[in-house]
Amino acid sequence: MINNIQSAYFKFLNQVICRASWVSIDKMSEINEALNDMENVKPKSAIMNVLLTKFERLPDTDKKLFAYGPIYLGMNGAFSGLIANSFFRRVLKVSQGWITSSLPMAVLPFLSTVALYQATISQPLLSGNLDCKACAEVRGALLGVVVGGLYPVALALPVNAGLASRYNTTPMPEKGKVLQFMVKITKPVLKKMSFVVVLQAICGYYLSSLQYRIYRKAVELPSSDSEDQEAID
């Protein structure tokens, strides 16, 4: 009886060891394959260096458009902020503090548009992370609408409402009716700003489309021996 139990135990132990060895062998083969795949993948820094090197070989007009395009879009955002500020000042009958309200309305949309465009479109293109024309164009259009069009409206409302309350140019709402008051004075401004918002969307779409063409032009340039060696290293 004891011998039978011992033989059954040793058979079971032998099966467990065999299965464990097969599993470990399979796992090791999978790990080796994964390591080989990782060795064949170029690091992002190398890809970015190659793209930057090719970008330097582009014509000056393409390089200037890629570098200064976001600034032009940011200037449009600044003008959008000034227009929204002017509309709210008329609605709220504010004549004081023109510089106080105009300065942030020009600077903040400009800086926000340039920074977000660089972060969401220009840099991903240069790093090779945005190899999709439709994605770049949609990002540009959305950025133009939100940051270049709607953001100035949302920014101008509290600035001019504060001035109206300070100088008593317009009766302020009672508690509990602030939201209704904000919606009431924002509706006519949004109607007037609709053309500006659409224009910003078109500008963002067009600029991102141009930058994607420049990116594709750089990618399609033939690689030199130094670039190939740099990518391998």
Side-chain angles (χ1 to χ4, degrees), residues 98-179:
W98 184 83
I99 297 178
T100 304
S101 62
S102 298
L103 187 61
M105 291 306 306
V107 174
L108 292 179
F110 172 80
L111 295 178
S112 300
T113 302
V114 174
L116 286 176
Y117 191 94
Q118 291 281 2
T120 58
I121 299 175
S122 296
Q123 290 299 326
L125 284 175
L126 286 177
S127 60
N129 294 327
L130 186 58
D131 193 9
C132 173
K133 182 180 180 181
C135 299
E137 292 172 346
V138 170
R139 288 187 185 186
L142 286 176
L143 192 141
V145 170
V146 177
V147 184
L150 299 180
Y151 173 63
V153 175
L155 187 63
L157 174 59
V159 171
N160 289 281
L163 290 174
S165 176
R166 179 179 179 181
Y167 295 105
N168 295 321
T169 59
T170 300
M172 290 292 105
E174 300 176 356
K175 291 184 178 180
K177 297 183 179 180
V178 177
L179 183 60

Side-chain angles (χ1 to χ4, degrees), residues 53 57 109 124 139 141 162 164 198-199:
T53 304
R57 293 162 52 191
R139 288 187 185 186
V198 173
L199 182 62

